[in-house]
Amino acid sequence: MMMAAIMVASCNDKKFTVEGEIANAKDSVLYFENVGLEEVSVLDSVVLSDNGQFSFRQQATEAPEFYRLRIADQIINVSIDSTETVQVKGEYPGMASNYTISGSENCEKIRELTLKQMDLQRRAIAIQQNTALGINGINDSINNILAAYKDDVKKNYIYKEPYKAYAYFALFQTLGNWLIFNPRTDKNDIKAFAAVATSWDTYHPHAERGQNLHNIAIEGMKNQRIVDAQNQDIQVEASKVQEAGVLDIALLDNKGQERH
């Protein structure tokens, strides 16, 4: 019985390690945090010395999970899907973009996605500040670079290996305060969420994150059906428009009052 207990304990003692060094960050507090579905929680922390070295070791989960290294508002995202050792080398300040990472393909891809997102943000800000374009020109330009970005990420990160953690990470990137892939408003974005959800069912069955993706995709499909139905309701024959001269459509305003 004692031998069996030891074997069980050994099987459950699966750990992963995130280690490395952050230069120019002496006396800074480096936090290691779990980025959960509902909240971000601190798992460990260390006050960095002259050499900036650190090492965090935590219990591995059954399905891929997401973590981050943080000093103040500077963040490095990390994904763990096994008992790997991930090595990070960065420089503070600016470690969110000025870092290298090894030991995990997912983490390397997440770094690529992070740098791409930062570049998209810089270009969008530059367009907004270009007053010569005018409002319509600014909107069109931002929509164009956003569409190109989404095509690139879908092709090379989401649909390429939808069962990987970096594909999941790509779905939740933002531009400012807005989701780049928004299943509430875009049919194609719903498909991207559904593709990753289906793959996670196969490779990571019963994972909470996979179920969350399913819920998001299903909710997006429901919303899209409502929008499609509303659009059909306001469609009329061209002959009726010609006869009446103008359409009298009754809609509710933001106070619930009917307006024509």
Side-chain angles (χ1 to χ4, degrees), residues 66-119:
F66 296 89
Y67 305 89
R68 69 186 194 183
L69 297 166
R70 180 177 65 84
I71 298 178
D73 62 348
Q74 291 291 298
I75 292 170
I76 295 175
N77 289 294
V78 177
S79 170
I80 300 294
D81 61 7
S82 185
T83 57
E84 64 262 50
T85 295
V86 176
Q87 296 179 324
V88 180
K89 289 187 177 181
E91 186 173 349
Y92 189 81
M95 74 176 194
S97 59
N98 189 16
Y99 75 96
T100 61
I101 195 163
S102 60
S104 166
E105 179 194 17
N106 275 309
C107 289
E108 292 172 5
K109 294 291 186 181
I110 286 173
R111 177 181 178 274
E112 291 177 12
L113 285 164
T114 298
L115 295 180
K116 282 177 175 288
Q117 186 269 341
M118 288 180 174
D119 180 62

Side-chain angles (χ1 to χ4, degrees), residues 121-230:
Q121 183 87 22
R122 283 193 293 267
R123 287 188 289 150
I125 291 173
I127 291 172
Q128 285 183 318
Q129 293 175 342
N130 186 356
T131 56
L133 291 174
I135 297 299
N136 291 335
I138 289 173
N139 288 337
D140 289 343
S141 297
I142 290 179
N143 285 334
N144 287 337
I145 65 170
L146 185 59
Y149 182 89
K150 291 173 70 171
D151 287 343
D152 173 30
V153 172
K154 284 179 180 178
K155 177 182 177 181
N156 296 307
Y157 295 89
I158 295 176
Y159 290 133
K160 185 177 182 180
E161 293 180 306
Y163 56 91
K164 292 292 187 69
Y166 71 80
Y168 182 104
F169 178 87
L171 292 174
F172 295 96
Q173 287 193 295
T174 60
L175 180 60
N177 295 322
W178 302 93
L179 280 172
I180 292 175
F181 296 95
N182 191 342
R184 291 182 176 273
T185 60
D186 193 314
K187 290 181 179 179
N188 292 321
D189 291 353
I190 295 172
K191 293 177 182 178
F193 274 82
V196 177
T198 301
S199 292
W200 275 54
D201 276 349
T202 301
Y203 290 89
H204 314 296
H206 313 302
E208 187 178 5
R209 289 185 181 274
Q211 185 58 53
N212 183 57
L213 289 178
H214 272 296
N215 294 339
I216 292 172
I218 291 171
E219 185 66 24
M221 292 175 187
K222 288 181 180 178
N223 291 338
Q224 193 60 55
R225 282 196 290 268
I226 292 172
V227 171
D228 291 342
Q230 290 174 339

